[in-house]
Amino acid sequence: TTSGVVYAWGSGDYGQLGHGSDEHQSTPSRVRSLEGVTKVVAHGDGSAAVTKTGNLYIWGTAACALRSSLNSIDEWDLLQGTLLPTHTEALTGKFVTNVDLGLCHVGVLSAGYDEENAALVRELTEWAALFET
């Protein structure tokens, strides 16, 4: 909505609706843990949102991108998804302005670029390559 409130409905199998469960919703239902959202995207079983304060939240299977180390990825965790929008701690201090999702990766645009951002992009690119067939 114009006030930054997010509503979601449809299949909830992997938490992609952000309601805290994997239940399906037949009517629009507010994602209560989000406010001040300027952009929301959904792809398959994952979702993401950017807030007016530049924070990025992701949930559902898109949250697999939150894993900080390629060695810690557990396939079961990926399939379970994250049921609530989760702040991306890896981008703390960055002002995110845009986001998009792929099958198992997240791309963001921030207001600034530095070596730390470059390292994160390289790590996510390497990680996403593991899932390409």
Side-chain angles (χ1 to χ4, degrees), residues 112 117 129:
N117 281 346

Side-chain angles (χ1 to χ4, degrees), residues 68-84:
S68 61
S69 168
L70 298 180
N71 296 327
S72 69
I73 295 172
D74 180 278
E75 187 176 347
W76 181 249
D77 286 343
L78 296 178
L79 293 174
Q80 292 304 301
T82 300
L83 301 177
L84 291 169

